[in-house]
Amino acid sequence: PSNLIELPDKTVVFVEEVGQCVRQFHPKSRKVTTIAGMPGKAGKRGGHADRALFRGPTCCCLDDDGVLLIGDLGNSRLWGLTPDDVVHHVAGTVLGYRPGKGLADGPGDVAVIGGPRSLTRLHDGSFLMVDSIGNAIRRVASPSSTMHARKAFASTLEAVHRQCKLLRYETQGLFTLFRGT
């Protein structure tokens, strides 16, 4: 287990990379339940949480609306688990990361993610994600705000590299790209 998060109800959520699932620990009863994924079964599928498939979930973080953002290393994707127990694709292309092709920013279905390793929520509701394969820290717009705005549940990724220097900024709010010098 890794990436422990305490929820408002005092339960603790964590990911199991090898177990291919997201679990919840209930301190009062001392029980652990699976809240997303099928333990021991790898794959790439959204939908109802008990039928969703991951290939190495490595991190998770909760947004203001109760959507749990889940980093999936093996599928090079971010998923969102909504309070109604549905797993949605948030970001990462269908093909996933391919060596030599690099990373890409933009809406969720265009963004190319290398390897989500860690997520943290920022005060503005967005997230920072460590992309270990892409050797980058990337900013992810709140999945809830995007989900409400667009049914496709697409998200925006922004890249921040070491010793940041602004290269371009799109005023439509799609993305900001910072690259190291």
Side-chain angles (χ1 to χ4, degrees), residues 69 78 90-91 119 125-129 138-143 155-158:
L69 193 62
L78 290 178
V90 174
L119 286 163
S126 65
F127 299 86
L128 286 182
M129 176 189 73
R138 302 178 80 180
R139 186 174 177 276
V140 184
S142 170
S155 220
T156 302
L157 289 180
E158 300 177 30

Side-chain angles (χ1 to χ4, degrees), residues 1-4 12-19 21 23 25 32 57-58:
S2 62
N3 201 182
L4 304 171
V12 177
V13 171
F14 59 94
V15 294
E16 283 191 7
E17 186 174 353
V18 176
C21 60
R23 297 195 191 253
F25 172 67
V32 174
T58 54

Side-chain angles (χ1 to χ4, degrees), residues 138-172:
R138 302 178 80 180
R139 186 174 177 276
V140 184
S142 170
S144 294
S145 63
T146 309
M147 181 180 66
H148 296 305
R150 290 174 42 170
K151 196 163 180 120
F153 201 51
S155 220
T156 302
L157 289 180
E158 300 177 30
V160 182
H161 293 265
R162 280 182 254 144
Q163 300 183 16
C164 298
K165 178 182 174 187
L166 180 63
L167 282 185
R168 87 179 161 252
Y169 175 73
E170 296 222 356
T171 56
Q172 297 91 348

Side-chain angles (χ1 to χ4, degrees), residues 7 11-26 29-41 48-54 57 68 70 81-82 85-87:
L7 299 181
T11 61
V12 177
V13 171
F14 59 94
V15 294
E16 283 191 7
E17 186 174 353
V18 176
Q20 312 299 344
C21 60
V22 180
R23 297 195 191 253
Q24 188 169 20
F25 172 67
H26 307 269
S29 66
R30 296 182 178 246
K31 293 189 182 206
V32 174
T33 58
T34 301
I35 61 170
M38 298 174 71
K41 188 170 182 181
H48 197 274
D50 65 356
R51 303 289 299 152
L53 295 175
F54 307 109
L68 186 69
I70 303 163
L81 173 61
T82 60
D85 297 327
V86 178
V87 174

Side-chain angles (χ1 to χ4, degrees), residues 67-84:
V67 174
L68 186 69
L69 193 62
I70 303 163
D72 186 347
L73 180 69
N75 287 319
S76 299
R77 284 185 169 215
L78 290 178
W79 301 94
L81 173 61
T82 60
D84 59 347

